[in-house]
Amino acid sequence: MAYVITRSCCNDASCVPACPVDCIHPALTDPLFAKAEMLYIEPDACIDCGACVDECPVSAIFPEDSLPVEQESFIDINAAYFDRHPYGAEPTRPERPPALRFAPGPLRVAIVGTGPAGLYLAEQLLGLGGVEVELFDRLPTPFGLMRAGIAPDHADTQQIVEMFAPLLGKPALGLHLDVEIGTHLAHEDLLAHHHAVVYAVGAGSPRQLGIEGEGLPGSVAATDFVAWYNGHPDHAGDRYRLEGDTAIVIGTGNVALDVARILAIRPEALEGTDIADHALEELRRSSIREVVVLGRRGLLDSAFTLPELVGMGNAAGASVLIDPADTEVDAATAEWLRREAEPEVAQKLDVARQHARRPPSEGDRTVRFQYHTTPLRILGDNHVTGIEVREHRPGEEPRDRIIDASLVLRAVGYQPAPPPGLPLDASTGLAAHKHGRVDAMPGAYLVGWAKRGPRGPLGYNRADAIDTMRSIVDDAASGALDRPVGGREQLVALLAERRPGAIGLPGWRAIDDAEKTGARGSGRPRSKFTTWDALREAARASH
Ligand code: NAP
């Protein structure tokens, strides 16, 4: 019997060092880690001790004999990874950097952004000892995309927040919410109170398609739709017409899969989640029966990850439709899959073939994948009525056609942009940096999507944070960082002047308690406040 890693794997690799026989791969130090869509347990090497289970922040690891039925395919998925990548007895544990001392006084680091990138970095820095971290967020709540990005039906993935909650209570960490850097405090203000300022602010804004009709009501960036159903206060007032039979999702990444699943899943399956009340009400009223996911290339070029494709088949009341023709490959591609492609690519094809073989269940809504289809124009006068697309299957004449739809969600990734005031690297569209150290701006750093662009599973931020942490520590050790003129006391005094409404840890705890209390008896983990006013008022209960 072996343990098996399943769908919610976040790739933060905290399970790897827990394993006494090094059977979880790829590890942070493995060159394959950067590409892996999840981690895998080598079944023949696993000694069945279960040590990894305690370390997993998202409950992704199960003993083989008690796997939930919808996760059983992960037994083969774990094993198959090692057919392509056999591991010897070489230990692969990541090295921990040595503990460093900064005399006199602590090393002070400001982190802008409290999402996974910022919090993994805070965790790494505080683990060194002798470091003080001040965390800033524009929102009255911490956790960034962990609160406003993870789909509500992915309760296992949402558990990652529990891993970070104790971090916020550490005396060496200061939490400053509802504070906007650039408005209430400038970069220079932060530098005056810290040795280093790290931007963990994400990758920019939703990418535009640049086609006619994109700005029509009913044509929406999928990330805005996600923010709406997750109760982000910037989106509480958004309205969606979930009318007609069909919604279109453009793009085949994990965001596309999330929004397609939420539109298609039976609303009752969301009742026990923390989805925003306004979204659940609207989804209950929805008349949409089919969600069409458009891929401009073929199935093998899909941007979704293997675990998410598997998970797509488990949404209650939603059937996945894939044209069997899209799962056929020519001899050269079959050979490439066998010899060169990562096992995950071949596994995705296998899962897609299973979906293609399965007829839709009666009464289900459907999520239909349509490949080799490029959006040309979004149609409608005052609201979206459809989309004109070009279908261009290999070996066939291209043809244009119209798909009627009341909603078009554009899930085509992000347009990268550097945080304001930081130098642009024209080749990436992000801020120019080396290992998170911003070019020609001593004391400024990047971590997460702001550093590497919008890619990689949630837990990949841990490896990324270690990289930026090393840059900061090296610079501190070499004397490259200026000593700040003020410390925590002076920072708090400045904030009291510039941002008297800033919310600290007691305010966040008051919001958290009120949201949980508000859900008591409903079977939901919390009932989110979704407006700025409601969040601020709940925070004031701590005064
Ligand atoms: P993404 O993975 O980059 O996918 C973007 C999709 O948009 C691709 O299919 C791309 O097709 C398509 N696209 C781009 N420009 C297009 C155009 N002009 N016309 C038509 N299609 C176009 O982006 P994402 O889905 O926003 O995800 C961002 C990151 O967040 C990813 O790393 C993702 O895994 C992660 N994420 C993970 C989860 C999860 O684990 N559950 C959930 C959400 C997000 P081409 O490939 O042809 O360019």
Side-chain angles (χ1 to χ4, degrees):
M1 215 263 298
Y3 279 75
V4 178
I5 303 185
T6 63
R7 189 207 60 76
S8 62
C9 175
C10 72
N11 288 48
D12 92 347
S14 42
C15 54
V16 174
C19 175
V21 292
D22 288 314
C23 76
I24 308 179
H25 299 277
L28 287 188
T29 47
D30 187 328
L32 294 170
F33 180 77
K35 282 201 290 178
E37 296 184 357
M38 56 178 283
L39 304 183
Y40 305 89
I41 291 179
E42 190 172 2
D44 295 339
C46 176
I47 56 167
D48 194 19
C49 69
C52 51
V53 176
D54 296 336
E55 293 302 319
C56 177
V58 290
S59 303
I61 309 179
F62 292 84
E64 188 182 319
D65 61 1
S66 49
L67 266 175
V69 66
E70 71 277 9
Q71 307 275 16
E72 277 173 358
S73 54
F74 284 97
I75 296 175
D76 289 344
I77 287 173
N78 275 244
Y81 188 78
F82 298 94
D83 295 343
R84 176 65 45 84
H85 300 300
Y87 285 86
E90 282 294 296
T92 50
R93 295 169 186 221
E95 281 172 39
R96 278 200 74 79
L100 290 176
R101 297 200 180 282
F102 305 93
L107 178 79
R108 287 188 44 79
V109 181
I111 301 178
V112 185
T114 61
L119 290 184
Y120 271 114
L121 179 63
E123 183 184 49
Q124 292 298 323
L125 287 165
L126 294 180
L128 292 171
V131 181
E132 273 180 8
V133 170
E134 308 289 346
L135 276 177
F136 297 86
D137 206 298
R138 184 177 83 78
L139 292 180
T141 52
F143 303 129
L145 284 179
M146 293 185 287
R147 178 176 163 104
I150 299 173
D153 61 331
H154 282 175
D156 40 13
T157 311
Q158 288 177 330
Q159 286 174 50
I160 197 145
V161 162
E162 304 307 324
M163 179 179 82
F164 288 120
L167 188 75
L168 300 185
K170 293 206 167 182
L173 187 141
L175 186 64
H176 312 284
L177 304 170
D178 208 350
V179 176
E180 188 158 20
I181 305 308
T183 303
H184 304 113
L185 295 180
H187 177 75
E188 291 68 30
D189 295 321
L190 294 181
L191 260 191
H193 295 82
H194 305 86
H195 296 84
V197 178
V198 189
Y199 289 91
V201 292
S205 46
R207 184 181 282 143
Q208 297 281 312
L209 283 166
I211 60 173
E212 194 184 320
E214 190 167 14
L216 275 171
S219 158
V220 184
T223 46
D224 288 349
F225 187 67
V226 171
W228 170 75
Y229 63 60
N230 276 333
H232 190 296
D234 283 346
H235 295 272
D238 295 358
R239 296 283 172 266
Y240 289 93
R241 262 199 233 165
L242 305 181
E243 294 169 355
D245 286 344
T246 309
I248 305 285
V249 178
I250 304 173
T252 59
N254 281 343
V255 170
L257 262 50
D258 278 349
V259 295
R261 204 178 60 253
I262 293 297
L263 281 168
I265 199 169
R266 196 178 296 135
E268 299 85 76
L270 296 171
E271 281 170 359
T273 74
D274 67 356
I275 189 168
D277 294 341
H278 56 235
L280 186 56
E281 270 169 41
E282 203 59 57
L283 289 164
R284 281 198 186 109
R285 279 198 292 268
S286 166
S287 62
I288 288 168
R289 304 301 309 162
E290 180 167 71
V291 184
V292 183
V293 178
L294 299 181
R296 61 178 169 178
R297 300 190 281 155
L299 187 143
L300 282 178
D301 300 304
S302 298
F304 50 66
T305 56
L306 172 62
E308 293 309 311
L309 182 62
V310 174
M312 198 68 199
N314 298 322
S319 290
V320 176
L321 299 183
I322 291 180
D323 183 344
D326 285 324
T327 66
E328 285 165 15
V329 292
D330 58 24
T333 308
E335 188 58 12
W336 170 77
L337 284 169
R338 207 171 61 78
R339 284 175 178 275
E340 290 168 54
E342 278 303 302
E344 285 155 338
V345 184
Q347 301 262 17
K348 273 188 250 189
L349 186 61
D350 283 349
V351 175
R353 283 177 172 153
Q354 288 160 22
H355 287 318
R357 277 195 296 271
R358 205 173 298 140
S361 303
E362 212 180 313
D364 268 10
R365 290 176 173 160
T366 53
V367 176
R368 184 162 62 80
F369 287 80
Q370 184 172 328
Y371 287 98
H372 304 291
T373 302
T374 300
L376 297 178
R377 224 160 37 106
I378 298 175
L379 308 169
D381 292 328
N382 306 313
H383 194 276
V384 167
T385 56
I387 183 168
E388 185 176 356
V389 297
R390 176 156 303 159
E391 296 174 346
H392 43 87
R393 293 188 155 279
E396 291 179 17
E397 273 300 301
R399 61 172 193 141
D400 296 353
R401 80 176 181 99
I402 288 171
I403 309 174
D404 293 334
S406 55
L407 178 68
V408 173
L409 294 177
R410 308 179 314 263
V412 294
Y414 291 77
Q415 185 61 45
L422 271 60
L424 171 74
D425 175 345
S427 67
T428 61
L430 298 161
H433 76 97
K434 286 173 200 66
H435 291 285
R437 195 184 276 118
V438 177
D439 288 2
M441 273 185 80
Y445 298 86
L446 302 167
V447 72
W449 279 6
K451 172 184 171 189
R452 65 179 197 279
R455 60 195 165 76
L458 208 159
Y460 188 81
N461 287 298
R462 182 159 164 264
D464 193 317
I466 291 172
D467 183 57
T468 293
M469 186 250 321
R470 288 199 165 126
S471 297
I472 297 171
V473 164
D474 287 352
D475 292 351
S478 70
L481 300 181
D482 285 343
R483 181 175 304 284
V485 291
R488 176 169 287 175
E489 211 177 301
Q490 289 77 15
L491 174 74
V492 170
L494 182 68
L495 269 171
E497 191 185 303
R498 300 265 192 88
R499 186 57 179 148
I503 295 172
L505 182 63
W508 159 241
R509 285 194 171 145
I511 295 172
D512 192 34
D513 282 352
E515 288 189 339
K516 287 176 177 159
T517 309
R520 205 167 281 156
S522 69
R524 308 176 68 187
R526 68 174 63 234
S527 173
K528 282 181 178 170
F529 295 115
T530 58
T531 64
W532 286 86
D533 285 349
L535 286 159
R536 286 170 176 158
E537 198 184 318
R540 275 196 289 275
S542 68
H543 291 171

